[in-house]
Amino acid sequence: MGNRRFLSSLAAAGFALLSLGGIAQARDVQHELGTTNVPDEPKRIVVLEFSFIDSLAAVGVAPVGLTDDNKPERITEQYRAIIGNDFVSVGTRKSPSLEMIASLQPDLIIADKTRHSSAYKSLSAIAPTIVLDSLTGDYHSALEQAQVIGDAIGKSEEMKARVAAHTARFESVKANVANAKKEGRTFQFGVVSSRGLYLHAPHSYNGSLLMALGLPLSLSAEGAGVSYESAYVKTSLEQLSEINPGVLLLGRYSENTVTDQWKDEPLYKAVTAVKEEQVYYVSGHNWARLRGIVASELTFDELEAALAKVAEKTGK
Amino acid sequence: MARASIKLLVLLGALLATAVLSLHVGGRADVGISQFFSLLSNSGERTLQELVMLDIRMPRTVVAILTGINLAIAGVILQAITRNALASPSILGINQGAALGMTLAVLLPSVFVVGVEAMAIIGALLAGTLTFGFSGGFRGSIRPLPLVLSGVAVGAFSFAMVRFTFTLDDEVARDVILWTTGDISGVRWHDTTALSLWAFGGILAAMLIAHKLNLLAMGEAAAQGVGADPRKTLLIGAVIAAGLTGVSVATAGPMAFVGLVVPHLCRIVVGADHRRLLPAAAVGGAVLLLFADGLSKLVVAPEEVPVGVIAALIGAPYFVYQALFSKELDL
């Protein structure tokens, strides 16, 4: 009897030691709003921005909960191929449901600085929360954030390797861009809907990605760091003709867009990109809403395809 | 008579000057008023600059004129039928009701099948009816303070509903913000049709009831004394005002203060007789919006400030002045 008690207390002590070891391994993660103690290898992760899904997918980790803006198609097939479909939507990125998040009993929450800072306390009460600047961050900071996330979920080495592979891909695209540059065209990305054309300035996320690649952009870099809104410039046809991009890369956000409405207008036809048939429709969702390693590689694919067509047409 | 024609000349001169301003400035620096004249003389192949003037600048200027006319006429009518100097489409919640109607039409197109323009007018009518109802307007007596308070309440409610859409989606939110600030940067000739029909019909109808509006202004009892049924005038006036506001909001978004400030200023210039006040306000409204349109393209060129913001920047200080010093308000 006494023996057994001794054994069981030994087991209990051993267990306590083990869990102590666990706590000792738990790491402090520095983020936008301070330092958070994150458990070792969190298993139930909830993410509140698309770029965080991207970072998890980059190292093959599936979240239990994510924000899909209540539009399942916003979690694209490229992500689903990696993270599967066994996640729960916790609502919109703008106002995620705290109740849904709590019900998932997460052990790590990754939130956005702009959108979720005001909910940081509530989120922290549910689970250890780290806050990163996804919405207003640029391409470079998206890669840094991926590493922070990799460290936080105990996949530092995997993430380092993934970022290295990504960087190699980035460099090859950059070489491609350098070739295209010789043709002397300026490029401009924007998203277009039935309500208007929004060009993405060099200090927007996508602008920073294209700038990093060395692509000559049509919009000037003035106004950088002014505000999130200033990165997305509502552009009238008259302004577009003044900016006069040589290649126009457009993401379509609705069926009938203003560029469709403009297509018979002489001024639109006089824009260099339109006149020389250098308007390419790309996935606005991948280019602008999604951010991070996986998403930017999708952007690379579409950009290289467009560059090839530009070269082909110019060669003729 | 000489003084009246001087006033007319001043108004028309202001119209001409602001129209030139609105036509002259814009995204392209190489397009200006000279293209307007070369369009008139050039019958052959048109240059790109001339086409910008014809396809983009001119319809925008026309929309500014028509929106200004519509909102000013709506303001004059509302101030007459409510006998309240503070009445205007934005103060009575009618602008906001129209914006709510449009928002519903865009968010739930399958439920509200009548289309964006019609929903704007329906929203405007409904908001106006509610404001009148809450302030006791249907019982026959409209007192200024309850009317303004009801209008503020109806407007705040409508706008709260519109703002709710901000939480839904970034792109929807951006669109709604655009409508709710008043923006005419993307208009083309086809946007002018409904506006011009309403403007023409609105001026005509308002002129036809101008005499009755004069009688109403003396007080309902006096109006009844000379055999006019004030309720009929009130109803007709309200429908015209809501229609004019709705169609303007559907094209340009709600422009605050135009319908409030213009009737006041014109009353100072031409007096309270609606047979003169209505045409003067029509011109005045056009002038104010043309001026605002010109400024909206200049303030942060080459980008633009929505014209509604500029209109509010011009109108709001006058509203405050009016609220603080006016004797007519009698709050």
Side-chain angles (χ1 to χ4, degrees):
Chain A
M1 198 66 184
N3 230 357
R4 198 176 283 173
R5 185 178 288 168
F6 172 72
L7 275 179
S8 67
S9 54
L10 195 68
F15 188 73
L17 260 178
L18 268 180
S19 45
L20 256 181
I23 290 167
Q25 269 180 35
R27 62 208 83 226
D28 285 335
V29 176
Q30 290 205 350
H31 58 90
E32 295 281 348
L33 296 185
T35 306
T36 297
N37 191 266
V38 176
D40 188 38
E41 294 203 15
K43 290 279 173 275
R44 301 185 61 79
I45 307 167
V46 171
V47 290
L48 305 182
E49 250 295 351
F50 294 145
S51 74
F52 308 146
I53 304 173
D54 191 291
S55 297
L56 294 186
V59 289
V61 172
V64 291
L66 51 75
T67 45
D68 64 357
D69 294 347
N70 296 323
K71 290 177 180 150
E73 72 274 12
R74 291 206 167 173
I75 311 304
T76 56
E77 50 183 292
Q78 288 86 358
Y79 289 144
R80 286 175 191 271
I82 303 170
I83 66 171
N85 293 306
D86 293 335
F87 50 78
V88 175
S89 165
V90 296
T92 62
R93 291 173 292 156
K94 213 170 219 175
S95 42
S97 157
L98 292 178
E99 267 180 49
M100 286 296 291
I101 296 170
S103 74
L104 290 170
Q105 298 183 315
D107 48 14
L108 174 64
I109 299 170
I110 309 177
D112 177 63
K113 182 184 163 197
T114 314
R115 296 191 198 264
H116 312 123
S117 281
S118 55
Y120 179 58
K121 269 192 180 163
S122 319
L123 290 168
S124 297
I126 299 171
T129 301
I130 63 175
V131 177
L132 301 172
D133 184 14
S134 171
L135 187 68
T136 67
D138 61 6
Y139 168 66
H140 187 68
S141 91
L143 293 187
E144 285 174 357
Q145 290 170 35
Q147 191 59 52
V148 171
I149 292 173
D151 296 345
I153 62 176
K155 301 238 176 215
S156 286
E157 293 311 313
E158 287 94 327
M159 189 62 89
K160 271 182 196 146
R162 185 66 181 84
V163 172
H166 173 80
T167 309
R169 174 94 168 86
F170 172 86
E171 291 300 333
S172 85
V173 181
K174 199 172 171 181
N176 242 332
V177 166
N179 279 330
K181 226 171 166 172
K182 291 173 196 147
E183 283 152 17
R185 287 178 183 279
T186 62
F187 289 70
Q188 184 57 50
F189 169 70
V191 297
V192 64
S193 73
S194 59
R195 295 291 303 182
L197 167 66
Y198 290 85
L199 297 184
H200 286 212
H203 61 288
S204 69
Y205 169 78
N206 185 272
S208 74
L209 172 60
L210 299 182
M211 286 263 280
L213 286 168
L215 205 67
L217 301 185
S218 311
L219 271 183
S220 76
E222 276 170 39
V226 176
S227 70
Y228 169 60
E229 283 74 21
S230 76
Y232 308 97
V233 185
K234 179 157 194 294
T235 309
S236 70
L237 177 52
E238 225 179 298
Q239 289 157 342
L240 179 68
S241 83
E242 192 81 347
I243 295 161
N244 198 23
V247 177
L248 200 49
L249 302 155
L250 293 177
R252 192 184 274 277
Y253 275 176
S254 72
E255 283 284 309
N256 177 26
T257 66
V258 288
T259 44
D260 295 328
Q261 292 158 24
W262 292 343
K263 75 179 189 316
D264 293 325
E265 293 197 36
L267 187 59
Y268 185 62
K269 290 184 201 160
V271 173
T272 303
V274 181
K275 191 167 59 194
E276 301 179 2
E277 296 181 358
Q278 302 283 13
V279 181
Y280 302 98
Y281 284 91
V282 296
S283 163
H285 183 62
N286 290 350
W287 281 53
R289 272 196 214 112
L290 302 186
R291 280 140 202 229
I293 295 170
V294 179
S296 50
E297 286 170 5
L298 296 173
T299 303
F300 294 162
D301 290 343
E302 283 190 299
L303 178 64
E304 287 191 310
L307 288 177
K309 282 184 196 156
V310 172
E312 190 185 317
K313 276 183 192 157
T314 314
K316 266 180 200 168
Chain B
M1 204 58 219
R3 284 188 61 182
S5 50
I6 288 172
K7 283 171 189 168
L8 187 69
L9 272 178
V10 169
L11 266 176
L12 291 178
L15 182 66
L16 191 69
T18 49
V20 168
L21 173 74
S22 164
L23 285 172
H24 187 65
V25 297
R28 283 183 73 105
D30 61 340
V31 179
I33 194 67
S34 58
Q35 270 71 34
F36 180 75
F37 295 109
S38 70
L39 261 181
L40 298 178
S41 54
N42 177 7
S43 52
E45 183 87 352
R46 283 172 178 147
T47 65
L48 187 65
Q49 285 78 13
E50 287 172 347
L51 287 170
V52 171
M53 175 55 66
L54 182 65
D55 295 337
I56 295 176
R57 296 277 175 90
M58 284 166 65
R60 177 171 176 161
T61 297
V62 169
V63 164
I65 292 173
L66 293 172
T67 312
I69 290 175
N70 288 352
L71 290 176
I73 297 285
V76 170
I77 294 174
L78 288 172
Q79 290 178 9
I81 63 178
T82 59
R83 287 197 307 284
N84 185 333
L86 270 184
S88 79
S90 49
I91 303 294
L92 298 186
I94 297 176
N95 261 337
Q96 295 89 327
L100 176 58
M102 286 175 68
T103 307
L104 289 175
V106 169
L107 280 185
L108 306 164
S110 50
V111 182
F112 302 98
V113 289
V114 291
V116 174
E117 278 84 5
M119 278 301 290
I121 295 173
I122 292 171
L125 267 174
L126 217 59
T129 311
L130 280 177
T131 300
F132 272 21
F134 288 156
S135 59
F138 293 118
R139 290 196 302 273
S141 70
I142 301 176
R143 283 175 301 133
L145 192 56
L147 183 76
V148 171
L149 290 179
S150 320
V152 169
V154 169
F157 171 78
S158 305
F159 238 55
M161 297 296 287
V162 170
R163 283 210 190 89
F164 166 71
T165 60
F166 292 6
T167 64
L168 295 181
D169 198 6
D170 285 348
E171 283 83 35
V172 175
R174 207 178 281 161
D175 285 352
V176 172
I177 289 172
L178 258 189
W179 301 321
T180 49
T181 43
D183 177 64
I184 58 171
S185 62
V187 297
R188 294 291 184 275
W189 281 113
H190 62 84
D191 295 307
T192 61
T193 321
L195 271 181
S196 55
L197 288 177
W198 272 97
F200 185 72
I203 292 178
L204 203 69
M207 286 305 283
L208 286 175
I209 60 167
H211 180 61
K212 296 210 169 82
L213 292 177
N214 282 343
L215 291 177
L216 259 186
M218 300 188 306
E220 279 175 51
Q224 253 159 348
V226 291
D229 184 351
R231 283 171 305 179
K232 213 165 109 189
T233 313
L234 201 145
L235 184 71
I236 296 172
V239 170
I240 300 172
L244 288 172
T245 306
V247 74
S248 303
V249 172
T251 312
M255 309 270 182
F257 300 113
V258 178
L260 176 74
V261 172
V262 171
H264 272 280
L265 291 176
C266 291
R267 211 172 279 126
I268 296 171
V269 179
V270 301
D273 183 346
H274 285 85
R275 286 167 295 189
R276 276 196 227 156
L277 180 58
L278 281 163
V283 178
V287 168
L288 178 63
L289 266 196
L290 283 172
F291 185 58
D293 179 55
L295 282 190
S296 80
K297 292 189 266 192
L298 282 176
V299 177
V300 290
E303 287 173 40
E304 286 184 17
V305 180
V307 63
V309 174
I310 303 289
L313 282 178
I314 301 172
Y318 186 81
F319 174 74
V320 172
Y321 163 79
Q322 191 68 33
L324 289 178
F325 300 110
S326 168
K327 291 192 187 74
E328 318 167 43
L329 286 183
D330 194 26
L331 288 178

